[in-house]
Amino acid sequence: MNKPEIMPQNDIAGPAPRHQTTKVMVGNVAVGGGAPIVVQSMTNTDTADVESTVAQVAALARAGSEMVRITVDRDEAAAAVPHIREQLDKRGITTPLIGDFHYIGHKLLTEYPACAEALAKYRINPGNVGFKDKRDTQFSTIIELANKYGKPVRIGANWGSLDQELLSKLMDENAASANPRDARAVMREAMVQSALHSAERAQELGMPKDRIILSAKVSAVQDLIAVYQDLAARSDYAIHLGLTEAGMGSKGIVASSAALGILLQQGIGDTIRISLTPEPGGDRTLEVQVAQELLQTMGFRTFVPLVAACPGCGRTTSTTFQELARSIQDFIRDEMPTWKTKYPGVEALNVAVMGCIVNGPGESKHANIGISLPGTGEAPAAPVFVDGKKFRTLRGPTIAADFKALVIDYIDQRYGNGAKAPESVTAAE
Ligand code: SF4
């Protein structure tokens, strides 16, 4: 009997080559055309409230959101947009603002030219841009204004506001066909056609392809994957990925990561948003953190040093390592906005915090700096490893504070001004 062939590890395929798309400049941020996958987010403040919107955009930008979308739903919101832009500029925050328009975008952009000017991109939902004979007029007005101000648009079809006329037409055609498909497949086709037809119409109206980004958001993971695969196969427009109505907490994070992870692995997606429903009073920047972590864990980009921590088990019954892992991760994330300029390259740092001797020294040696804390019954000593070598053993009640100080020293010596070669950082115990 022939032995089954065992594939060597290094033959396992990585991500597919990126789907070739047309590069679009959104303010100073490149989307598509091979540019790094862009993280974006959306505010949930009332845009008419300039102060709170500026504060939230600033928080999202500080967390790493490279573009921020704001709702522009009425006159007061449109009037506030240039003031929001001005306040952000005064604070040195250059993050492009995207205006999210439904129903009356054509009117608001016409009546508030300063709003049209201040926004870096307009998001249009083809299902909500007017109905019947008004649809083309209203859509055309937005595209003509975008052309006038030199702004790109995102044509964003959405499952919850799908173009009903198009859907009815496709449903009728499907019912009359010899081999009708199931209704869900027809709805997916309607999403794709809605986005593509609108993009073609925008081009007919004189909008160049390098000002068009497409999205087609659905709330079910399998539908989303199918829709985006189709969209990518049928066009080379830049693509915004997002699972709509992803939900709260772990449900939203898992669903978004599953859907977007598969598409990104297939090379699809130029910019992403993780649409999490925040807990009441929760931190809006969580969606930025999740988007960054998704891209970083998949190896597409590096944003923040990663802290590897073991899950813990019966071999470590104290909470010391959990507290240390959390404290180091929070500390790094809080400091990153400053470190990004002070310590270039620090985002690639790996830190390990491990709970006992079983995997502690091994995992710590793979990190730039790692600590193996004592498990239950082990001697109260915590060896620290730097660049794969044992560096020092920490003891006593200040292990956590001492390790944090060593991490800071390491970062300063490796990434600071006059950084030393990694070898010279490691002075063995
Ligand atoms: S490193 Fe130790 S404490 Fe952590 S999961 Fe492994 S055996 Fe458990």
Side-chain angles (χ1 to χ4, degrees), residues 310-313 315-316 354-356 358-360:
C310 75
C313 69
R315 293 183 64 97
T316 180
M354 301 295 290
C356 84
V358 172
N359 291 319

Side-chain angles (χ1 to χ4, degrees), residues 31-315:
V31 177
I37 300 162
V38 173
V39 170
Q40 62 175 289
S41 59
M42 185 172 184
T43 56
N44 62 354
T45 52
D46 177 0
T47 304
D49 180 345
V50 173
E51 198 181 329
S52 61
T53 303
V54 166
Q56 194 172 75
V57 172
L60 291 165
R62 184 176 160 85
S65 185
E66 292 159 309
M67 305 194 288
V68 177
R69 184 155 47 113
I70 58 177
T71 300
V72 188
D73 58 341
R74 63 191 200 280
D75 294 83
E76 293 82 353
V81 169
H83 301 294
I84 293 167
R85 180 72 271 163
E86 193 183 308
Q87 293 290 322
L88 291 168
D89 289 344
K90 273 189 193 156
R91 293 189 190 189
I93 298 166
T94 57
T95 310
L97 293 177
I98 301 159
D100 194 67
F101 294 97
H102 297 275
Y103 309 113
I104 56 168
H106 61 291
K107 181 174 170 290
L108 295 174
L109 285 168
T110 303
E111 292 174 7
Y112 295 88
C115 166
E117 187 62 69
L119 293 169
K121 185 176 74 170
Y122 311 152
R123 186 267 170 134
I124 321 166
N125 179 339
N128 282 349
V129 80
F131 301 98
K132 298 196 182 296
D133 50 331
K134 286 190 182 151
R135 176 196 302 280
D136 192 56
T137 320
Q138 298 183 359
F139 181 79
S140 303
T141 303
I142 297 178
I143 297 298
E144 279 156 13
L145 286 164
N147 286 340
K148 177 179 166 187
Y149 292 103
K151 309 289 181 178
V153 296
R154 168 157 72 92
I155 295 173
N158 195 300
W159 197 250
S161 47
L162 187 51
D163 178 343
Q164 292 303 311
E165 290 165 49
L166 175 63
L167 180 61
S168 302
K169 178 176 155 280
L170 292 181
M171 285 289 187
D172 291 346
E173 286 172 7
N174 188 56
S177 77
N179 297 304
R181 297 188 290 170
D182 72 61
R184 233 177 155 81
V186 180
M187 284 182 79
R188 292 200 293 256
E189 176 62 21
M191 287 282 290
V192 174
Q193 284 199 21
S194 175
L196 289 177
H197 289 172
S198 300
E200 283 158 19
R201 180 72 185 122
Q203 285 195 261
E204 278 170 20
L205 292 163
M207 173 156 281
K209 201 173 211 176
D210 65 2
R211 295 232 186 98
I212 300 174
I213 298 175
L214 296 188
S215 67
K217 294 191 179 181
V218 185
S219 58
V221 170
Q222 295 297 346
D223 287 323
L224 188 95
I225 293 168
V227 163
Y228 272 103
Q229 284 173 334
D230 219 5
L231 203 56
R234 288 160 64 173
S235 76
D236 63 352
Y237 294 107
I239 288 183
H240 165 118
L241 285 188
L243 181 79
T244 192
E245 288 102 38
M248 287 180 110
S250 61
K251 189 263 173 196
I253 294 171
V254 170
S256 290
S257 303
L260 272 55
I262 288 168
L263 289 164
L264 292 167
Q265 186 73 1
Q266 294 173 349
I268 299 169
D270 299 305
T271 173
I272 66 170
R273 178 186 174 215
I274 305 287
S275 304
L276 294 180
T277 308
E279 303 285 343
D283 185 352
R284 189 68 170 177
T285 62
L286 179 64
E287 65 175 58
V288 178
Q289 187 182 325
V290 174
Q292 288 189 332
E293 285 175 0
L294 176 63
L295 293 177
Q296 185 155 348
T297 54
M298 292 189 74
F300 291 111
R301 291 188 65 184
T302 49
F303 297 97
V304 174
L306 287 180
V307 178
C310 75
C313 69
R315 293 183 64 97

